[in-house]
Amino acid sequence: MKIQRPKVLALDLEGTLISNAMSQIPRPGLFDFLSRCQELFPRVVMFTTVKEPLFRDIAALLVAEGAAPAWFGDVEYVAWHGETKDLNFVPSADPSEVILVDDFEKYVHPGQASRWLQIDYFDYPYDDTDEGLAKTLGRLEILAREA
């Protein structure tokens, strides 16, 4: 059985795209990862525990430093509350249309594990040879192609 082709890619920030909101170290391959995600999915959103004003500051810095494409500064931000990242919070999307890329299983909403794509946690010492985004992109490309 084929699953429905994902229409929305929901991305976590800390430990997924960057180190954390304090040090804000971009993960190796961030620019290429984000660029390709925008090509693969009709809609890319941020689904993070980092509050929107701080996220916007971080996104602007990543864009200014050339670590993220220009569109990332204005990427859609998902406002949510609670203990888990319930995909029902993504506006105008059914959870079956969303893929969540996150490093932390604790945030996956009960019953939505099939919509979660786990990425290895980006952690100190923040290795320049980290391939977490490249590996995840490979999985996203397969998902987008096969669905």
Side-chain angles (χ1 to χ4, degrees):
M1 178 178 87
K2 277 187 157 183
I3 64 168
Q4 181 177 348
R5 185 172 193 270
K7 296 178 181 172
V8 182
L9 179 63
L11 298 172
D12 174 50
L13 182 66
E14 295 180 294
T16 298
L17 302 181
I18 65 169
S19 54
N20 56 61
M22 294 294 292
S23 61
Q24 305 172 11
I25 299 167
R27 193 167 197 162
L30 179 61
F31 189 100
D32 292 338
F33 175 81
L34 291 172
S35 296
R36 186 68 178 126
C37 286
Q38 187 187 38
E39 294 170 2
L40 290 171
F41 297 91
R43 190 170 157 208
V44 178
V45 302
M46 285 306 305
F47 207 146
T48 177
T49 59
V50 175
K51 299 297 181 205
E52 187 170 9
L54 178 55
F55 165 70
R56 293 290 172 204
D57 289 345
I58 293 168
L61 180 64
L62 291 170
V63 169
E65 291 179 343
W71 64 264
F72 188 68
D74 297 316
V75 70
E76 182 180 349
Y77 179 93
V78 175
W80 64 286
H81 58 84
E83 299 296 316
T84 60
K85 295 179 179 179
D86 184 348
L87 300 178
N88 285 297
F89 282 113
V90 178
S92 304
D94 186 273
S96 67
E97 300 172 328
V98 182
I99 290 292
L100 172 66
V101 175
D102 201 309
D103 60 298
F104 205 25
E105 185 174 12
K106 172 185 164 186
Y107 286 113
V108 177
H109 191 69
Q112 296 179 353
S114 68
R115 310 308 303 163
W116 174 48
L117 188 60
Q118 185 175 19
I119 186 170
D120 293 335
Y121 179 62
F122 184 50
D123 196 13
Y124 183 82
Y126 309 117
D127 188 354
D128 286 344
T129 63
D130 175 86
E131 295 184 359
L133 290 176
K135 289 178 185 176
T136 299
L137 182 57
R139 294 167 62 200
L140 289 170
E141 287 176 332
I142 290 169
L143 182 62
R145 186 172 52 243
E146 290 181 350

